[in-house]
Amino acid sequence: MGGGVATPALIAAVADCGGSGMVPGGEATVDAAREVLRETQWRTGRPIGLHLHLTPRSRATPAGLGRPAAPVSDPGILSAYRTALLPDAGALRTHLPLPSRDHDAELADKVQLAIDERLPYVSFTFGVPAAGIVDALHDAGVAVLVKVTAAAEAAAAAAGGADLLIAQGPKAGGSSAIFDP
């Protein structure tokens, strides 16, 4: 649910069929997420939520699950990584954007979007959201859903305040929500 195929029409159709329609906010800017959210709300009167990705700085560090990976913010490292990917991007005829966004600042704005829009739930992947995020959502009446891939992750998510766990298997559409890669 980082983006891609989850269009407002598809999200609304899932919600209309009784599923949990989710706006893909993981890799979207807050403005893009807001636009998809509003168009989806126009298409359906059913509840829809927002799906977000956590970064090492925006998630809790549950004991026993290892330490979160250090945030990669060094421009040299990011530039070298992008350069290494350029041949593959060229072969696939796709563009690699320059890394320039502060995903943690955008996460705070996306959480605020969910609160302002009075969404019934927000889901998270790649860890348990930090206590401040969980508290802000709970204070606004927003349920917190967390994707988990193992029993230890489920225990950590429950201890961290998750209202619902989304169990994800190893063949989860090519992307796993594992906490500690």
Side-chain angles (χ1 to χ4, degrees), residues 15-31:
D16 287 343
C17 290
S20 297
M22 291 291 215
V23 171
E27 294 301 316
T29 64
V30 69
D31 290 335

Side-chain angles (χ1 to χ4, degrees), residues 64-83:
L65 289 181
R67 61 178 181 76
V72 178
S73 57
D74 182 309
I77 292 172
L78 294 172
S79 179
Y81 182 63
R82 182 181 181 275
T83 299

Side-chain angles (χ1 to χ4, degrees), residues 7 11 19 25-28 38 40 44 67 86 92 95 101 121 124 127 129 141 144 149 152 162-163 165 172:
T7 65
I11 300 163
E27 294 301 316
R38 294 213 172 129
T40 304
T44 183
R67 61 178 181 76
L86 283 174
L92 295 170
H95 170 72
R101 292 173 37 214
Y121 45 85
F124 293 92
V144 174
T149 62
D163 299 297
L165 305 179

Side-chain angles (χ1 to χ4, degrees), residues 78-179:
L78 294 172
S79 179
Y81 182 63
R82 182 181 181 275
T83 299
L85 293 174
L86 283 174
D88 291 330
L92 295 170
R93 298 176 190 221
T94 190
H95 170 72
L96 286 179
L98 294 171
S100 62
R101 292 173 37 214
D102 182 346
H103 287 279
D104 289 317
E106 288 187 359
L107 178 66
D109 291 341
K110 291 172 190 176
V111 168
Q112 190 60 51
L113 172 66
I115 291 168
D116 292 346
E117 295 291 328
R118 297 189 168 121
L119 298 182
Y121 45 85
V122 175
S123 68
F124 293 92
T125 194
F126 306 129
V128 179
I133 294 171
V134 173
D135 291 345
L137 290 167
H138 282 164
D139 288 349
V142 180
V144 174
L145 290 58
V146 177
K147 285 187 180 180
V148 297
T149 62
E153 292 176 0
D163 299 297
L164 185 127
L165 305 179
I166 302 167
Q168 187 178 54
K171 296 182 179 179
S175 64
S176 176
I178 192 166
F179 285 15

